[in-house]
Amino acid sequence: MEKHPTRPHTLSAEATRRLKGTSTATLTTQLLKRGLRNTFLGGLQVLRPDLRMVGYAFTLRYAPAREDRGSAVHYDNSTDVQRLAVEAIGPDEVLVIDARGETRSASLGHILATRITRRGAAGIVTDGALRDLGGFSELPISTYVRAAHATTSSVIHHPVDMNVPIGCAGVLVMPGDVLVGDSEGVVVIPAAMAEEVAHDAYEQEVLEEFILAKVDAGGDIHGLYPPNEATLAEFEQWRRDRPATRV
């Protein structure tokens, strides 16, 4: 498998498919089993709950704006880091914005989001605000945001870095990390363990499908959730007897 020049770990096609079908809740459990407690970007709303997001983090960091550091409405596309990021993001990448949780102005708008979409990006995630929010519902790209605000970004935000480690919604995001988003929110998976997490999360959900069916049928959770040896043996037989239905 050919490596991306700035992406040391690339998911297999099978792992990507499995992540697209796995809930963020399951993924946080798998990461917790590996000792990672703070991986879910809380407090964000999803603008396209009908879309699933799997992609690699392309980060953009904002600092607080100051009037002598570029607060004009007209942006210089050749020097402004926000604009450079928009033209640098590639296919299957997610623009992850460190807006410091600041929602007194937008961190991005619909026109730039459209350009990001046309470049093949997989998503947009910000712990700040977006403007022109209504237009995002028409874009075929997964988008997660804390709030809406009509004011342009330079009033509050000054873009200073791209593709550097950032914090977003209180979670560390490294360039190239794998981000998975569903209707509940976004989880960050360290790139080096994403392949393994994808497969283990898939196995967890197959088991939980079996457990849920038994609970729904009136089963007692004792020995079932979590499963004891007898339940696991019954699960293995159930799995052998049923046709494959998951990815």
Side-chain angles (χ1 to χ4, degrees), residues 74-228:
H74 300 292
Y75 298 85
D76 184 345
N77 289 340
S78 65
T79 61
D80 187 278
V81 176
Q82 179 210 59
R83 302 306 178 94
L84 295 174
V86 167
E87 288 299 327
I89 192 169
D92 302 322
E93 293 182 326
V94 177
L95 182 65
V96 189
I97 301 174
D98 175 2
R100 312 175 313 285
E102 179 61 73
T103 59
R104 289 180 296 161
S105 76
S107 55
L108 201 76
H110 179 242
I111 291 178
L112 295 184
T114 300
R115 176 59 178 158
I116 290 166
T117 303
R118 298 299 176 255
R119 288 186 60 80
I124 299 169
V125 178
T126 177
D127 62 358
L130 293 172
R131 68 194 305 211
D132 315 311
L133 210 61
F136 281 82
S137 64
E138 301 174 1
L139 286 177
I141 188 170
S142 297
T143 305
Y144 296 82
V145 59
R146 188 177 297 280
H149 204 290
T151 303
T152 190
S153 62
S154 62
V155 172
I156 297 295
H157 302 296
H158 178 62
V160 290
D161 282 309
M162 63 179 177
N163 264 344
V164 296
I166 64 168
C168 186
V171 176
L172 174 66
V173 183
M174 303 289 291
D177 279 349
V178 174
L179 274 74
V180 179
D182 61 11
S183 60
E184 201 156 51
V186 179
V187 64
V188 179
I189 308 174
M193 64 176 67
E195 184 84 15
E196 177 184 277
V197 167
H199 296 299
D200 288 355
Y202 168 83
E203 293 298 325
Q204 178 184 331
E205 291 207 340
V206 174
L207 173 59
E208 290 186 352
E209 180 184 347
F210 168 76
I211 291 171
L212 177 60
K214 293 186 72 66
V215 170
D216 192 40
D220 189 319
I221 63 169
H222 295 291
L224 184 59
Y225 189 61
N228 57 21

Side-chain angles (χ1 to χ4, degrees), residues 37-53:
R37 296 177 176 273
N38 185 37
T39 58
F40 185 79
L41 279 61
L44 305 185
Q45 59 175 306
V46 54
L47 301 185
R48 288 293 306 267
D50 56 315
L51 300 178
R52 287 295 305 257
M53 181 181 76

